[in-house]
Amino acid sequence: MKALPQAIQTNAMIWKSFLDSKVNLSEKLSSLKIPVQLVWGKYDPVIPVSIGKKFRKCIQDSDLQVLPTGHLPFAEDPRSFWKSIEPFFLKIISP
């Protein structure tokens, strides 16, 4: 089933709100003390990859993988998504 235009607009507004300085939690990212794997879509129309790069710089023990997808890399290219996160999982389960 195709999404209704109203649903697309609502979802876009919700996700864009994360970039609003009133609800911006990026300052809290530097307090994370765990390994973090970020996976971003290069062509994400909602949250640009520049935000992922910013998050990567904020989180001390993190890595950013950029895939040639839109907003949902795990759904749009599951194989590449898995290839991008598999080393991360292997690293954290067998240090």
Side-chain angles (χ1 to χ4, degrees):
M1 177 169 38
K2 292 187 177 185
L4 298 173
Q6 299 91 337
I8 293 169
Q9 182 179 9
T10 300
N11 284 328
M13 289 172 53
I14 290 168
W15 283 103
K16 285 181 181 179
S17 75
F18 291 117
L19 305 177
D20 187 328
S21 61
K22 292 179 262 175
V23 293
N24 188 345
L25 300 176
S26 62
E27 297 167 357
K28 305 270 186 202
L29 296 177
S30 62
S31 67
L32 290 175
K33 304 298 181 207
I34 58 171
V36 174
Q37 176 68 54
L38 302 164
V39 181
W40 226 270
K42 182 177 181 178
Y43 306 108
D44 189 330
V46 181
I47 305 175
V49 73
S50 61
I51 300 299
K53 291 176 181 178
K54 178 182 174 184
F55 289 175
R56 164 60 190 101
K57 288 179 182 175
C58 292
I59 305 169
Q60 184 177 4
D61 188 9
S62 67
D63 183 43
L64 170 65
Q65 296 290 321
V66 180
L67 301 180
T69 66
H71 187 66
L72 303 170
F74 63 89
E76 295 172 40
D77 189 352
R79 288 181 200 266
S80 293
F81 179 78
W82 176 248
K83 285 181 182 178
S84 74
I85 63 170
E86 184 179 29
F88 172 77
F89 283 119
L90 293 174
K91 181 176 104 176
I92 63 171
I93 62 170
S94 57

